[in-house]
Amino acid sequence: MLRQFKDGRISEDKLLHFLKDLPYQDLEFAKVDHHRILRQGFSEVIFGRGKTIKQILAIAGSLLERHENLLITSAPETVFPEIQKLCSEAQHFPASQLISVQRDKIIKGYGRIAVISAGTTDIPVAEEAAVTAQFMGNEVVTSYDCGVAGIHRLLDLRKVILDCSVIVAVAGMEGALPSVVGGLAECPVIAVPTSVGYGAAFKGVTALLSMLNSCSPNVTVVNIDNGFGAGFVASLINRSQPGRER
Amino acid sequence: MLRQFKDGRISEDKLLHFLKDLPYQDLEFAKVDHHRILRQGFSEVIFGRGKTIKQILAIAGSLLERHENLLITSAPETVFPEIQKLCSEAQHFPASQLISVQRDKIIKGYGRIAVISAGTTDIPVAEEAAVTAQFMGNEVVTSYDCGVAGIHRLLDLRKVILDCSVIVAVAGMEGALPSVVGGLAECPVIAVPTSVGYGAAFKGVTALLSMLNSCSPNVTVVNIDNGFGAGFVASLINRSQPGRER
Amino acid sequence: MLRQFKDGRISEDKLLHFLKDLPYQDLEFAKVDHHRILRQGFSEVIFGRGKTIKQILAIAGSLLERHENLLITSAPETVFPEIQKLCSEAQHFPASQLISVQRDKIIKGYGRIAVISAGTTDIPVAEEAAVTAQFMGNEVVTSYDCGVAGIHRLLDLRKVILDCSVIVAVAGMEGALPSVVGGLAECPVIAVPTSVGYGAAFKGVTALLSMLNSCSPNVTVVNIDNGFGAGFVASLINRSQPGRER
Amino acid sequence: MLRQFKDGRISEDKLLHFLKDLPYQDLEFAKVDHHRILRQGFSEVIFGRGKTIKQILAIAGSLLERHENLLITSAPETVFPEIQKLCSEAQHFPASQLISVQRDKIIKGYGRIAVISAGTTDIPVAEEAAVTAQFMGNEVVTSYDCGVAGIHRLLDLRKVILDCSVIVAVAGMEGALPSVVGGLAECPVIAVPTSVGYGAAFKGVTALLSMLNSCSPNVTVVNIDNGFGAGFVASLINRSQPGRER
Amino acid sequence: MLRQFKDGRISEDKLLHFLKDLPYQDLEFAKVDHHRILRQGFSEVIFGRGKTIKQILAIAGSLLERHENLLITSAPETVFPEIQKLCSEAQHFPASQLISVQRDKIIKGYGRIAVISAGTTDIPVAEEAAVTAQFMGNEVVTSYDCGVAGIHRLLDLRKVILDCSVIVAVAGMEGALPSVVGGLAECPVIAVPTSVGYGAAFKGVTALLSMLNSCSPNVTVVNIDNGFGAGFVASLINRSQPGRER
Amino acid sequence: MLRQFKDGRISEDKLLHFLKDLPYQDLEFAKVDHHRILRQGFSEVIFGRGKTIKQILAIAGSLLERHENLLITSAPETVFPEIQKLCSEAQHFPASQLISVQRDKIIKGYGRIAVISAGTTDIPVAEEAAVTAQFMGNEVVTSYDCGVAGIHRLLDLRKVILDCSVIVAVAGMEGALPSVVGGLAECPVIAVPTSVGYGAAFKGVTALLSMLNSCSPNVTVVNIDNGFGAGFVASLINRSQPGRER
Amino acid sequence: MLRQFKDGRISEDKLLHFLKDLPYQDLEFAKVDHHRILRQGFSEVIFGRGKTIKQILAIAGSLLERHENLLITSAPETVFPEIQKLCSEAQHFPASQLISVQRDKIIKGYGRIAVISAGTTDIPVAEEAAVTAQFMGNEVVTSYDCGVAGIHRLLDLRKVILDCSVIVAVAGMEGALPSVVGGLAECPVIAVPTSVGYGAAFKGVTALLSMLNSCSPNVTVVNIDNGFGAGFVASLINRSQPGRER
Amino acid sequence: MLRQFKDGRISEDKLLHFLKDLPYQDLEFAKVDHHRILRQGFSEVIFGRGKTIKQILAIAGSLLERHENLLITSAPETVFPEIQKLCSEAQHFPASQLISVQRDKIIKGYGRIAVISAGTTDIPVAEEAAVTAQFMGNEVVTSYDCGVAGIHRLLDLRKVILDCSVIVAVAGMEGALPSVVGGLAECPVIAVPTSVGYGAAFKGVTALLSMLNSCSPNVTVVNIDNGFGAGFVASLINRSQPGRER
């Protein structure tokens, strides 16, 4: 931000307005943490789930005034036209319920991130991970419907798997994909259980438990359907780390 | 039995003694079902779990008098010497806690049964399945430590997998083995979850759930650690079916 | 397929078109595995659950071009008219949400498959199993509302039970049917828990657990409401097995 | 008690001593409710589980001074010799961990109580129910190892089942026995799940759930392994009811 | 029935028609067990849950032709007018979703049955129990909103509690009512957990578990919301028992 | 502390030694928070569970040097003699596994705290609560074995219940005690579920759930067997509150 | 009430009318406990959940006739206009589904109550606690969106936390807020888990378990989403206690 | 390995011996995957849990012949002396049950890894993570007993938290540590739930669920007590990634 000010990209007014709200801005129902955004270089995210449309718009307005980019997860259908009014570059991903504004598109990650999903029905969650990672400045490759029951489809991905920095493996039902991918990969694998399945799939619990017990030791797990979280951590891993000499 | 009598292999006395106890023999604490054994051609089995040694020996005595073969599951250590006294051909499998007497060794199954296990720690359950299937008159091939995290170990088994009538797939932890095996196989796969694992493995529950949700539709499941049941059903499938013309 | 080509039943064009997509055809959102279908002689199945109507139709189109038969499970109501446009022989089973196209009706199974259900409310799942088994080329007999609380209704089925190669036993609530059927039968019994029941039935979990603990050792279990899976495995068991001399 | 006094069976002293402790006697760690025992005509019971031997003996002493009969459940092995010192008529049932003193053996129940168990391993719990019912003044018939997988063993009991006032049905594993018994019976069936089984039996939870979902509407359920409770309620049902004209 | 024929209350035709369908009548989707109804003197009940309206009406028609009374549980709203067409005496209980036809109103029970519920919201389930018991020929007293947090409301019922043959205690949330009632009563208490509550009430599971662990030994339990089952068993207990001399 | 110094009760040395370790003292395996103890006026507590004896003694030594009082929970048997060496006033409560050193015995609470338990077996947990509350400077009254099945025992406590500031209600099995106590009381009730019970008591889970669903709104809950926590919060409630004018 | 009569604030008629309904008024479907309200000085509350609108209005009418204040929880939208007709002072809090009538606004609590919530989505439950506490005569301060992931937002509240008598800490997801608040506070903390979250949040179960295991010993817990209960107990703690000298 | 051969550090014999066993060496009960070790540069690990001592030693022997380093997890006490015989550099970590042989000590990670634990009792798991990370060639800093109830202890670590590449956060009970650490950190946080706690801690399940629901999006989770897995993934993240330009 300070650099942007120095470069003349933002006005003194905007900077002052911004500094006023440090460390965070209190909207009564929410405390928007502009400081953390700056400090951590994280992208700006609103978790839409459970917020009213009014609340989402108020926070979005506050963020768009001060930051380049914005991601809204679990965005209700009717929010998108309103966001478009605030910012015409906004993009909508209906399957994964994401809205993104990405005015700063600089690639910040070193390697590539692969997002692999087991079934056709897992695609919305996989897309959430892929869009998030892309939004956070990474090159992303995706491959869907690679479930372990047709192992040759997965083996065909071997080159992709060996060639990337992090893998996000998305699966419902028995959640076996991350174990097999983990065995093929040399990098960290972030497993995302999905609520896909029926009966004893227990809305993703079976896949979650399966992934937590993966016999591949390079697998860590996020919450059920948490494509955003997986994309986010994958980005962190792929970004330059503090203290890392380059 | 009648055939054995006709062939002179058993005496009239033994036959009469046997017929006396049809349809079942009441030992007060147990009703030994000699009839079902005959009718179904099933092997003779005592489920040792929860029975006192005295009870096991009484039932074993009753069975050995009237039948050729005998299998005891979950047999307490101290039972074996006593069974040996009753019948010197008895064999002991300490890892899987089985005792078998197999005086009739005729092969009754058409094809071969494969027993595949994921890890070294799953071997006792896998052995229980393998010994049971062998005991019931089948040719059995085994391969252990073929977990999905090292998929090439499993792919090396492809020929075995395609070449048998039924597969028993044994795994703990995330229980992914049956899904992958099921995708490679063309025959029914019986999945056996084991209580191997820790933490969120929940003593086999995770593997059980995982297997019930297998994306391979040729997979059916038995109870946790139920190697016997898997070996038993595998034998049934491999045996000639009633009404099946050959 | 090659045989069909040789017999002149399919044109060279169709064969080439088909070979082009080996081992699988990538529809972006799905990888249709024409190869497995050929190799395993399995019937062609689309799992409708969680797929959009558009996705189902695209996969159905791809399959109907290259294969004789097609089964769609969990098919949304509105899909049927569209499938009928693609193929007038299509049949609809609204209770079990199946759509089938069965242009090749050759019986491939050796024996008969019995589908027995406990209550009137279990019929949709039982029908799913029965239609699937029929679709895969088997002779199927069904008997519904045979719950264990009216044991004489079940005992009347004794002849049917002894006369078939495989039994699919479908029950909700306490899920006791497979245990009793298993005791009467000499063949494998595939137990299907249904989500029928209320309160402590936990949407089929009680029936599932009950079946996994069956005291009849010839019982294996599939997922809750998985009529398709049960019909499928029953078919595999009833089909000639690889390596089995006849 | 008053009647016993009037009949001269107990002395005035004993009566006064007794009245002193109405409505209950406070032993500091326990409040012994002599009043309820009198009022309800219930038998005198000490629940041994979790009590120290010292506590059990103190309560037993207090009860034996004032009442004819005494039942101790979950009695630690070492308690029996001490109770024998207090009262030589004491009886020990080691399998079901019961100790009983039954000086008053008048039959109070109208009909007979049947206790039926599924497997050999369920016998300790079944015995707990049978001894309790007998102790409370009932005629009891027992039949063990009548599991539903050998349905003819159960059908042989049909006459017994139709001829009694209440049935206690004891089973572990899939807990199907009460449903079948309930269908055959015309009287109330009290189902007792046992912790017999392994894996997905979950120490009796599966049997418990199964029984709660019984399709026979004459089945009610008590806690896992609660043979005492079942015997107790069976006795209440079999006793003359207050307000019931005879 | 035979008696009714002898008394001239039913014609020979109706009797013959009836005998034709012994032991049960097969409606394809249901096997109506006229025999059991006769043999057990049970009332005629259709479990409406999960049945289509068409199925309910078909079974109702079959039953009303041959029996005096009829009870339909979980009856869909729209069924009642149709039943009224079949039989003008039909009664509707919308809160508990029951429909009853009670042409034979003879009291068969010896004592009185009390139905007590904890909260206002438990009334539908309590009413289901009360109507069922009444339908089966019993005198029933009810008292609602007697939860244990206002213990004096319950203590006011002491006389009722001591004066009846069986008690049905209905409660949701923590399900403590049956324990307190059980302590006050001398007769059997049938506990019915309801799905009333929120959060950690888990749709009745908490109440169910609580009741199974009741420290009052005269309590048995039925499934969550199973008012019918409780009323049914209460009736059995209150009826004359076979083998009971009067 | 400063006051103690001013009063001459502690030396300057001890004060300086103490100040040196503010805000906490790092023992490598533990960070002893002397500051919080001072600031909050809380008593000094070591949670023994899972700590080695060596670790407990090191922390105890550090605390006894700087503070008047000390409480050790879940203290292993063998720790007590060692603590006695450090401080001869130490007291041992074997049933509740507590060790206390209470050199400062000033009563700090305004009212009285009542600790009421349901059964004899709940006494160890109840004692843990009572000793803790006493240790923290409160007058405590206890009454054990007041389970709801014998409601008159509880009603006899009415005066005690109305006469205290806080109540700790301890129960296992169905955990109904706090609901009834809560209805009788006018003050806050802290419910402590215990792991007492068997089968569907699930080691206290049933009691815990029951208490969380209490229909008495003055009930809050702590973890299973957490007598210490209940005694602690009861003390806080009974102590003078900051900002409260007196 | 008697004081109000003496002061002339209510008429003799109203007093007599009131006394007539002691100890409680039976509305058939509900027993309104006017006595407890008086005796405990508790505010007048109707739990709306599961009650019909008719039932709520009947109880509300009965209460408003005899008491100054009234609170309705989980009030259906359509009830408010009806309550307004009964009493124009009624207030509606749509987010937390509360309706309150507060004619007596005397502050009865000594200190202040803080209500702190973790996220924006937790606000409805937090508001339920805050309104309840205010309604019961307390000064309340609130701070929302203070989740532990932005710990500085919470540290900014340190003064508030140290300055109040009781804290209500409301959180969903991982439910960590009460532990951190508990560590900062010197007063009792009442933790309220909310059903906010998805996947493995299990509708508040995760937050509930987390809070029950809080490492801060000053934390007690109420049911999921039970803002009312938390506000109620907080009020009790903040009110003068019986037996407490001031 | 080839490099080592070229450098003369290993003989031609050893290389050939090694190549012979590619891709893996079959020990009958285990398939040792020397290839993966090479390919992935992973360290050599034996999971001791559930393996017999004989099996561990056989695998260890095979590995030590061909590789520089070796780590054994969950190593039984009695294994260490045997390993020492094989290799005198072996080290034993009794608390975390690890045995390591680390002949190659080159640092391969770029940044530093921090291992932070909540309580004293969590140390064994934390140590497992720390030793693993160190073993895999990383600089590791540890800080124990930093639970969130004493937040200042955690805030003192702020510099460490901001200065490292990856953080492993270990906690039992309510598992809140990773959420707070995640909010302070800018790097990925790997959360390890431990089985520390009692009652509703459910052997680590509560901590596990809590961590999966962390409101800090940079948190991923491994299985309960899986210190090894956390240390392993932390190492992967800290190592140079394939395809990453430096």
Side-chain angles (χ1 to χ4, degrees), chain C residues 42-245:
Chain C
F42 286 179
S43 291
E44 304 70 22
V45 182
I46 301 172
F47 298 97
R49 198 185 304 263
K51 296 214 175 69
T52 65
I53 289 174
K54 227 169 160 180
Q55 290 173 334
I56 293 176
L57 288 174
I59 306 177
S62 156
L63 285 169
L64 283 172
E65 252 181 52
R66 287 168 190 77
H67 306 277
E68 296 283 299
N69 293 353
L70 173 68
L71 187 70
I72 309 177
T73 67
S74 305
E77 281 283 312
T78 51
V79 161
F80 183 57
E82 302 297 321
I83 296 290
Q84 264 186 321
K85 284 181 205 157
L86 289 175
C87 172
S88 58
E89 291 105 322
Q91 264 186 295
H92 193 199
F93 301 84
S96 50
Q97 292 178 279
L98 292 174
I99 293 170
S100 81
V101 173
Q102 194 168 6
R103 293 181 287 211
D104 166 357
K105 293 188 173 174
I106 300 165
I107 291 289
K108 293 165 199 148
Y110 277 68
R112 254 182 311 163
I113 294 175
V115 176
I116 302 174
S117 88
T120 300
T121 12
D122 299 315
I123 292 179
V125 176
E127 194 188 83
E128 189 181 308
V131 171
T132 299
Q134 217 155 19
F135 172 81
M136 288 185 68
N138 298 283
E139 194 184 334
V140 177
V141 293
T142 62
S143 185
Y144 300 149
D145 196 18
C146 313
V148 300
I151 200 75
H152 55 296
R153 296 178 300 188
L154 195 56
L155 297 177
D156 288 1
L157 288 177
R158 228 185 295 211
K159 215 186 109 46
V160 168
I161 286 172
L162 287 172
D163 209 46
C164 60
S165 308
V166 206
I167 298 167
V168 174
V170 181
M173 299 177 77
E174 83 271 61
L177 184 67
S179 288
V180 181
V181 167
L184 295 169
E186 300 171 12
C187 66
V189 174
I190 300 167
V192 192
T194 71
S195 50
V196 164
Y198 61 97
F202 298 129
K203 305 196 172 172
V205 174
T206 293
L208 170 64
L209 293 178
S210 184
M211 291 167 178
L212 284 166
N213 286 283
S214 176
C215 49
S216 294
N218 50 346
V219 173
T220 60
V221 185
V222 297
N223 196 359
I224 297 163
D225 289 337
N226 189 6
F228 166 75
F232 186 91
V233 176
S235 301
L236 283 190
I237 295 176
N238 196 34
R239 282 191 340 184
S240 146
Q241 297 300 332
R244 193 174 274 196
E245 296 139 51

Side-chain angles (χ1 to χ4, degrees), chain G residues 30-51:
Chain G
K31 300 187 169 40
V32 183
D33 195 339
H34 299 298
H35 183 65
R36 183 165 52 163
I37 294 166
L38 280 193
R39 177 169 45 86
Q40 303 194 338
F42 286 178
S43 291
E44 304 70 23
V45 182
I46 302 171
F47 299 96
R49 197 184 303 264
K51 296 214 176 68

Side-chain angles (χ1 to χ4, degrees), chain F residues 110-112 161-166 185-188 237-241 243-246, chain G residues 39-42 106-113 136-138 165-166 232-246:
Chain F
Y110 277 68
R112 254 183 311 162
I161 286 171
L162 287 173
D163 209 44
C164 61
S165 310
V166 206
E186 300 170 12
C187 66
I237 295 176
N238 196 34
R239 284 193 337 185
S240 146
Q241 298 299 335
R244 191 174 277 195
E245 296 139 52
R246 264 163 294 157
Chain G
R39 177 169 45 86
Q40 303 194 338
F42 286 178
I106 300 165
I107 293 289
K108 294 164 198 148
Y110 278 68
R112 255 183 308 163
I113 295 175
M136 288 184 69
N138 298 282
S165 308
V166 206
F232 186 90
V233 177
S235 302
L236 283 190
I237 294 176
N238 195 34
R239 283 190 342 185
S240 145
Q241 299 300 332
R244 192 174 277 197
E245 296 138 53
R246 265 162 293 157

